[in-house]
Amino acid sequence: MSGESFRFIHASDFHLERPLGDLDVLPKHLRSALASAPRNAALSVFEAALAENIDFLVLSGDLLSPTAAGPHGMSLLLEGFERLNEKHKPVFWSAGVADDPAKWPDSIPLPANVHLFPKQNVELVPVQRAGRTIAAVVGRSSDGRSHLHVPGFKFDPVDSFTVGVGYGSAAAGTLDDVPLDYWALGGRHNREEIEGGARSGAIYCGSPQGRCLDEPGSHGYTMVDVDADQTTRIHEMPCDTFRYADEKIGSAQISEAGSLKNVFGHRIARLQHEAAGRHLIIRWTIEVPDAGMLPSIGQTRELLSELRRDFGSGNPSAWTTAIRVMPPSQFPQSWQEEDTILGDFLRVADVARGGGDHDRHGNLTPLTEEHPVSESTAALLADLPAGSRAEVFEQATLLGVDLLRGGKGMMN
């Protein structure tokens, strides 16, 4: 089958209503950049759509919640649509959960170039250029399910290159049921390609800007070039201004670098090279099997201050948001056998850690009887989520050991 070459952009998950997260403080010198990062990333998509002379734009859900994003977010979206309308560039929008079409105000009509797919049924829309059909877009907005309802995308076959636009989790085995050339998928904030999901590609392009430590690495949109013989080239196009990194450090890295501080410096240099001028937000997790190598709380705080001073104040900034120390799987037996408060503490903690009692003894309020806490803190302790109990017990054990040993750490 032969036709005409064309180009389109696939983007999704703008989430203009969401700020960047996983920050314990807002660095003064980064506040403006942090606040504008989601908007700037979304703007980059529209700027690229105009600068790269695309034939159409495909948006696969969760662009914004109109109520939460407010006029500021809605105006950005509408202005981008209007600019594309002036250049006669169609926009195909398959809504997700945040941007449910029912939430869009009736008093604010979308520009004529925007096709917002319905939730009730699939629609096939031909894309024309100079009076000739160059492609067909098959889409349907989310009906509220967390997964993509692939059977709802079935359509009568056409001769054109077909682009499916949908929102929700999906696997290659299900995507194959619909004969598409490209699946433009939304609902996942990290980029992901589903192998074998379509003839040319099935892509979750991810959010243009990562928002938290669960969304590390590069973020952007996808550019798709299709030749006259339907050979497809897919390009990942980063447009983020901040990058999250969740870095783990083990004893081997510390031994090789000579000190924990050296590890931080070497790793930050590598991350900055990979980020190519973007700001970094980093969490460090220290995992060492030997309890004697663990830094103390005081040392961790000192390292955090030094990292923020040495690397966090520059432009671009490499801001350390946290240093997390993970307890070893087992504290030294000699510590547990001591006839001391430390030994008593470790013996009690060992029962809780090794006996699978995190769920059964998840209520920590009895431990606060001698030292009353606020009502809000007591409520949190009484209703500790099951998934967090093990980590809370581990960190409490680590804190107790550090205090009872007088703050002795590996760098003393």
Side-chain angles (χ1 to χ4, degrees), residues 81-82 85 89-91 109-116:
F81 290 160
E82 288 287 4
N85 191 32
K89 307 294 184 183
V91 177
L110 294 170
N113 65 321
V114 179
H115 187 95
L116 178 57

Side-chain angles (χ1 to χ4, degrees), residues 363-383:
N363 186 356
L364 301 181
T365 51
L367 302 180
T368 68
E369 292 174 354
E370 295 183 11
H371 303 280
V373 296
S374 65
E375 291 185 5
S376 59
T377 301
L380 289 172
L381 292 174
D383 191 26

Side-chain angles (χ1 to χ4, degrees), residues 62-122:
D62 278 359
L63 303 186
L64 84 172
S65 169
T67 303
H72 198 49
M74 293 179 68
S75 64
L76 183 151
L77 203 61
L78 289 169
E79 288 170 8
F81 290 160
E82 288 287 4
R83 293 175 67 193
L84 289 173
N85 191 32
E86 292 171 1
K87 299 295 183 180
H88 308 289
K89 307 294 184 183
V91 177
F92 299 97
W93 179 6
S94 173
V97 174
D99 52 2
D100 183 339
K103 299 178 182 177
W104 189 266
D106 294 333
S107 59
I108 305 178
L110 294 170
N113 65 321
V114 179
H115 187 95
L116 178 57
F117 289 104
K119 297 192 293 184
Q120 297 79 12
N121 57 277
V122 67

Side-chain angles (χ1 to χ4, degrees), residues 18 98 185 187 207 265 283 326 340 360 395:
R18 290 188 185 177
L185 301 169
S207 174
R283 179 177 69 181
M326 302 305 293
T340 61
R360 187 159 59 87
Q395 291 298 320

